[in-house]
Amino acid sequence: MPDIVLEGVRMEFPGQGATGPAIALAEMDLAIHDREFVCLLGPSGCGKSTALNLIAGFLTASDGSVRVGGQEVAGPGPDRGVVFQDANIFPWLSVAKNVAFGPSLSRRRDRNAIRRQVDEMLDRVGLSQFANHLPLELSGGMRQRVGLARVLVNDPPTLLMDEPFGALDAQTRIIMQELLLELWERDRKTVLFVTHDIDEALLLGDRIIVMTARPGRIKSSFDVRLPRPRRYEITSTPEFVALRRRLFEELRHEAARADELEAVH
Ligand SMILES: Nc1ncnc2c1ncn2[C@@H]1O[C@H](COP(=O)(O)OP(=O)(O)O)[C@@H](O)[C@H]1O
Ligand SMILES: [Mg+2]
């Protein structure tokens, strides 16, 4: 059974002043299977974040149906972990306390169990030595590790990620992509990963869904049959290079249109 289903989803934002309503998504259909890693790829402004926020339950569609695990989405829920570009961690809590935040909301857990769970999570993301540090004392990459750990520690069956590594420098981004792959290999959650970066989509995804420029629709879907487990080295193989070229051709026109749309406004 598909885990995430969008049917005929339309999203209209009310216009401000003289501008009419902005149609972010028009008739979007999407089905993501259980434990599939899907990358949603498209130019800036095409509605990727809007789609993710609808699935997360932060937004409500103007029309159509958004279902997760067979249920119509009525708001955010613990079954969907969301990771944004800014790690949305609490600056006043230590790394360990940030990660413990979700589990400590659950009434059933005892403190020792939570501590063990947090320790294990920090170990998995390579932050054991920074458990007592405050977020301000960390690098951008480390903060994003905390953000990831904070979400993964709750073990949500579905992970929604919106350009989580977009603000990191190129090398740190690769290290974080490899970390995410390593974490995913172990639990194989359903992942919807939003990006405008072709290489990132190819390195991570089982499938890449390409969106058109605004108003966003699904343009095409590519299966990525590169072997797993994957590491950065795969990005220089002939298979990867050929896929990169195809995806660029697919996106070229949409990127140019997105650019024009931006110029008009
Ligand atoms: N809250 C909002 N109010 C008005 N327009 C919005 C709002 N959020 C997004 N939009 C518009 O919807 C379109 C899609 O935005 P978004 O989903 O953020 O695109 P992406 O994530 O692909 O860059 C853009 O044209 C954007 O300006
Ligand atoms: Mg976005």
Side-chain angles (χ1 to χ4, degrees):
M1 189 181 69
D3 189 32
I4 301 174
V5 180
L6 270 67
E7 269 171 2
V9 169
R10 179 183 168 82
M11 187 66 201
E12 225 177 88
F13 291 105
Q16 291 126 353
T19 61
I23 301 169
L25 297 175
E27 284 291 310
M28 184 164 173
D29 292 314
L30 178 72
I32 299 176
H33 296 279
D34 195 29
R35 291 163 196 276
E36 194 179 19
F37 197 133
V38 169
C39 293
L40 196 57
L41 180 70
S44 148
C46 76
K48 302 181 295 296
S49 294
T50 302
L52 184 135
N53 284 320
L54 286 166
I55 298 164
F58 299 140
L59 289 174
T60 307
S62 314
D63 202 359
S65 156
V66 179
R67 294 192 301 276
V68 174
Q71 299 277 340
E72 200 72 32
V73 170
D79 59 319
R80 284 150 290 152
V82 188
V83 184
F84 292 111
Q85 191 172 105
D86 61 46
N88 53 325
I89 50 184
F90 299 129
W92 61 89
L93 291 181
S94 70
V95 167
K97 285 189 172 142
N98 261 289
V99 178
F101 185 79
S104 63
L105 294 178
S106 147
R107 264 172 289 138
R108 283 166 296 149
R109 289 253 163 65
D110 69 275
R111 288 175 68 159
N112 285 332
I114 292 175
R115 192 164 304 144
R116 274 197 305 276
Q117 209 182 351
V118 169
D119 285 350
E120 192 203 323
M121 199 62 240
L122 289 179
D123 182 47
R124 286 182 69 193
V125 299
L127 283 177
S128 295
Q129 290 174 49
F130 300 91
N132 298 317
H133 282 57
L134 285 171
L136 254 172
E137 301 169 310
L138 306 177
S139 68
M142 284 155 82
R143 273 203 290 275
Q144 204 47 274
R145 282 167 198 256
V146 180
L148 208 54
R150 253 195 89 164
V151 169
L152 290 178
V153 76
N154 302 313
D155 202 22
T158 303
L159 207 53
L160 306 172
M161 308 184 81
D162 193 352
E163 311 212 23
F165 311 140
L168 304 175
D169 68 70
Q171 284 66 247
T172 308
R173 193 181 314 159
I174 293 164
I175 290 165
M176 291 302 293
Q177 289 162 348
E178 287 193 335
L179 172 69
L180 176 62
L181 281 171
E182 211 180 293
L183 294 166
W184 182 80
E185 281 299 335
R186 213 179 91 165
D187 319 318
R188 296 244 171 178
K189 294 175 181 306
T190 307
V191 182
L192 177 66
F193 189 105
V194 161
T195 181
H196 61 258
D197 181 333
I198 294 177
D199 277 30
E200 182 167 67
L202 277 171
L203 175 63
L204 298 175
D206 294 319
R207 192 151 61 93
I208 298 177
I209 293 173
V210 178
M211 286 179 73
T212 64
R214 181 162 55 92
R217 295 167 188 272
I218 303 300
K219 180 172 185 181
S220 46
S221 170
F222 288 80
D223 289 324
V224 185
R225 298 212 174 82
L226 298 168
R228 291 192 190 268
R230 295 181 195 157
R231 289 184 63 83
Y232 176 68
E233 286 66 34
I234 204 169
T235 61
S236 49
T237 60
E239 294 81 4
F240 193 100
V241 172
L243 281 169
R244 176 195 287 144
R245 192 172 306 140
R246 260 186 78 192
L247 273 173
F248 182 67
E249 282 313 316
E250 194 69 13
L251 267 179
R252 188 197 288 274
H253 171 73
E254 302 310 327
R257 261 199 56 216
D259 204 41
E260 281 163 24
L261 279 171
E262 199 154 327
V264 175
H265 283 281

